[in-house]
Amino acid sequence: DYSHILGNAIFLVIFGTIASGRAGAGLTLLSILLTGILGNFSTLMLFGTASYSSLGASTAVFGGRGIITAIGLIKKVTEKREKHFLRNMLPLVAGIALLAFTGTSAGSDVTAHLFGFLWGVIIGCGLNKLNYTKNNSLLQGFLFILTFVIIFFAWNMALK
């Protein structure tokens, strides 16, 4: 329904804005799209085509959560100001709590949400290594446009 779509859009903007501070808007947007693709593909591989029917934008939202979870976790661990293991794990605990609280409602694709989050954590760890691309405007612009080209062609194929 429309409220679900609006919620996804709002959270994508929030998570994308947070993550883009680390990796740039184009790379972040492409990364969030990639978490959705990989999360849905992983779910498809687990259940097969006969029993899988999700559209999957929520999977990308949970991928965005995974990305900012990884960014927060790596930042906490690399700052080395905090010597307590459990306090360093707070971003991960918070990310998992958000996943459990918002990703397990009745009728939702819990498996796709989980896979989106896991792929987000993996990709988020990679984004921490690529933070030097943040200020490359040409690359960020190209990745931004590429993301929308991928979405356009995916919808075009789906509607045929």
Side-chain angles (χ1 to χ4, degrees), residues 91-104:
L92 183 59
V93 171
I96 291 170
L98 274 173
L99 171 67
F101 182 69
T102 60
T104 58

Side-chain angles (χ1 to χ4, degrees), residues 12 14-15 46 51-52 78 106 111 113 120 130 136 143:
L12 280 171
I14 291 169
F15 300 142
L46 182 65
S51 62
Y52 187 69
T78 57
T111 307
H113 292 171
L130 296 174
N136 185 333
L143 295 174

Side-chain angles (χ1 to χ4, degrees), residues 84-125:
H84 296 94
F85 176 76
L86 291 178
R87 287 189 186 149
N88 284 334
M89 295 296 112
L90 281 176
L92 183 59
V93 171
I96 291 170
L98 274 173
L99 171 67
F101 182 69
T102 60
T104 58
S105 61
S108 66
D109 191 344
V110 176
T111 307
H113 292 171
L114 175 63
F115 276 129
F117 180 80
L118 292 173
W119 279 111
V121 169
I122 292 167
I123 290 171
C125 289

